[in-house]
């Protein structure tokens, strides 16, 4: 990886951390406890419960993505980002751009 590519990748990671944090905040709002308010009917309450389950899953996924991105930041600070943890080969930049948290090359993934 060239220095310019490293810089570009760092920016991609920073942007993704930022947007993931925003999405987590939104999902936290959407997964607040449902009030047992009688003003919404039984069916819409069931909808609300279903949506809440979907949003809770999305929230868990986003939190996992954020952890991966934060680990990628640590690796980039140590200069380890872009090296396959299994075979030690360089991970193609195109792959890193799509999945900056990846720790394996295409062959080892
Ligand atoms: Zn590999």
């Amino acid at each position: 990886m060239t220095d310019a590519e490293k810089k570009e990748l760092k920016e991609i990671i920073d942007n993704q951390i930022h947007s993931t944090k925003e999405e987590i905040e939104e999902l936290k709002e959407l997964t607040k406890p449902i009030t047992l308010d009688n003003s919404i009917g039984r069916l819409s309450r069931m909808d609300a419960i279903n949506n809440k389950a979907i949003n809770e899953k999305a929230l868990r996924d986003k939190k996992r993505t954020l952890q991966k991105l934060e680990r990628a930041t640590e690796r980039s600070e140590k200069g380890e980002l872009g090296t396959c943890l299994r075979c030690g080969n360089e991970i193609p930049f195109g792959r890193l751009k799509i999945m900056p948290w990846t720790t394996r090359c295409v062959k080892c993934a």
Side-chain angles (χ1 to χ4, degrees):
M1 234 192 318
T2 65
D3 281 346
E5 284 172 342
K6 273 183 198 159
K7 196 164 165 271
E8 191 184 338
L9 201 58
K10 183 82 179 56
E11 274 165 23
I12 291 171
I13 294 171
D14 285 347
N15 283 337
Q16 288 197 3
I17 287 178
H18 184 77
S19 60
T20 304
K21 278 182 178 166
E22 276 179 0
E23 283 165 346
I24 287 174
E25 285 312 308
E26 279 170 27
L27 286 165
K28 274 184 185 165
E29 280 297 311
L30 293 171
T31 50
K32 275 185 177 166
I34 297 162
T35 51
L36 294 174
D37 183 346
N38 283 326
S39 67
I40 62 167
R42 199 174 68 89
L43 280 177
S44 40
R45 193 149 60 221
M46 277 165 66
D47 267 353
I49 289 165
N50 284 336
N51 288 338
K52 189 168 178 274
I54 292 165
N55 288 327
E56 276 168 353
K57 187 186 178 300
L59 181 59
R60 282 196 300 274
D61 289 346
K62 287 289 164 199
K63 282 182 174 169
R64 223 169 289 151
T65 302
L66 185 61
Q67 282 178 348
K68 286 184 198 166
L69 287 164
E70 281 170 346
R71 272 201 293 269
T73 303
E74 285 169 23
R75 279 201 304 276
S76 92
E77 279 161 6
K78 284 191 262 176
E80 289 170 1
L81 196 68
T83 308
C84 174
L85 287 184
R86 191 148 164 228
C87 70
N89 283 336
E90 210 170 284
I91 301 169
F93 185 60
R95 178 173 167 79
L96 285 166
K97 266 169 89 169
I98 304 164
M99 294 188 293
W101 55 79
T102 191
T103 55
R104 290 191 180 176
C105 70
V106 186
K107 253 192 277 169
C108 300

